Amino acid sequence: MAIPTSPKERNLNATAAVAAAVVPAAGRGERLGPGAPKALRELGGVPLLVHAVRALARSRAVGLVVVAAPPEGVPEVGALLDSHGLDGKDIRVVAGGATRQESVRLGLAAIPAEVEIVLVHDAARPLVPVDVVDAVVAAVRSGADAVVPAVPLADTVKRVVPQAGGRPEPVVETPERATLRAVQTPQGFRRAVLCEVHEKALAEEASAGQAEGALPPVTDDAGLVERFGGQVVVVPGHEEAFKVTRPLDLVLAEAVLARRRASDGF
Ligand code: CTP
Ligand code: MG
């Protein structure tokens, strides 16, 4: 992979592969039910992870993909990706961690220092269209520190006071739906910004421990940037970039894939 290192060089070769992607894939997939780790569950006969890596590899902007695999499955995941021949891209596999955040941090550590733009993409989003990947990279190239693809919400959202045991939950507020977005991946970052917030979060965790009153967990990387005062911007996502979380999502993903295969056939 040739990574342009100076702005001048980048201008001369605007389509060069300058972004690297981290794919957190070390989750168990508890909400999907019993079975293999979620990233290895199949969609159209191909593991979700392979779909997700292919989706990134389709972008000319992406030259390197680092997969954070279940720690006990690193050789298996490496062999799996090799067997699915991913057209000339540099694919590396590292051991993931106990949380998504840790998996991303371990993946980031495997990216060469000269890479300036980093994407983070869930293995559980197998069907993200390449246009979304390209739009995120383009927004980072245009100067944004942190970029997330997102879509408007169909449902109205209410903030509640969670209650145990299925008891009715008091509603606190109803944010205006038009101002809300459901956030997807790949999220794109200036590498230095993403590394800095992950380091700060790690230091914060080390000092807070599991103490009560510790900050709530952050569920995406852009959330870490926000926590430490950075600016995050949203670009249009796509309904097909949804995350496979529950069994019904797999049914939907199979339908989307079948529709794509049917339309490719004509
Ligand atoms: N992930 C990870 N390392 C972890 C936990 C999650 O790399 N320790 C990854 C998952 O593999 C997934 C992405 O983060 O690609 C988004 O997480 P999620 O959808 O929550 O996946 P799981 O954690 O596997 O699912 P669940 O929460 O239902 O167990
Ligand atoms: Mg999870």
Side-chain angles (χ1 to χ4, degrees):
M1 180 180 62
I3 300 163
T5 50
S6 72
K8 186 172 161 226
E9 204 178 332
R10 206 180 312 143
N11 288 341
L12 287 174
N13 190 3
T15 58
V18 293
V22 174
V23 178
R28 293 272 338 133
E30 303 281 353
R31 288 169 290 179
L32 202 51
K38 181 160 72 178
L40 304 180
R41 298 281 286 266
E42 291 194 351
L43 168 61
V46 175
L48 291 180
L49 171 64
V50 173
H51 284 283
V53 173
R54 274 185 186 156
L56 293 166
R58 238 170 247 134
S59 170
R60 298 184 65 185
V62 175
L64 165 66
V65 180
V66 177
V67 173
E72 67 287 359
V74 171
E76 181 192 350
V77 166
L80 184 77
L81 290 165
D82 281 348
S83 73
H84 282 87
L86 289 148
D87 45 11
K89 301 281 173 165
D90 186 355
I91 316 279
R92 302 180 197 173
V93 182
V94 300
T99 63
R100 182 186 184 282
Q101 192 174 309
E102 189 181 5
S103 295
V104 172
R105 192 172 63 241
L106 294 168
L108 268 177
I111 292 179
E114 62 271 26
V115 174
E116 290 176 15
I117 296 176
V118 173
L119 303 178
V120 181
H121 181 58
D122 293 326
R125 296 182 192 269
L127 297 174
V128 62
V130 70
D131 289 356
V132 174
V133 181
D134 288 340
V136 169
V137 174
V140 181
R141 280 184 177 156
S142 301
D145 279 347
V147 179
V148 299
V151 292
L153 273 75
D155 293 323
T156 294
V157 171
K158 296 195 188 291
R159 186 187 304 281
V160 301
V161 184
Q163 305 288 315
R167 290 205 306 281
E169 301 178 319
V171 170
V172 178
E173 62 163 332
T174 305
E176 187 191 344
R177 190 174 64 192
T179 67
L180 298 175
R181 299 288 179 268
V183 169
Q184 305 176 325
T185 72
Q187 300 189 348
F189 305 89
R190 197 146 294 285
R191 175 228 179 82
V193 170
L194 186 60
C195 288
E196 185 188 333
V197 296
H198 270 275
E199 278 161 26
K200 281 184 176 167
L202 187 62
E204 208 173 59
E205 275 164 27
S207 61
Q210 298 299 314
E212 209 155 313
L215 289 166
V218 164
T219 50
D220 72 341
D221 298 277
L224 282 182
V225 174
E226 291 159 54
R227 173 178 286 181
F228 296 109
Q231 175 70 59
V232 178
V233 295
V234 166
V235 298
H238 194 286
E239 60 180 358
E240 293 181 3
F242 66 91
K243 184 155 69 76
V244 173
T245 304
R246 299 180 188 84
L248 187 61
D249 299 321
L250 260 186
V251 176
L252 179 61
E254 291 284 2
V256 170
L257 192 65
R259 185 175 69 180
R260 281 189 191 174
R261 284 178 175 168
S263 63
D264 285 351
F266 287 108

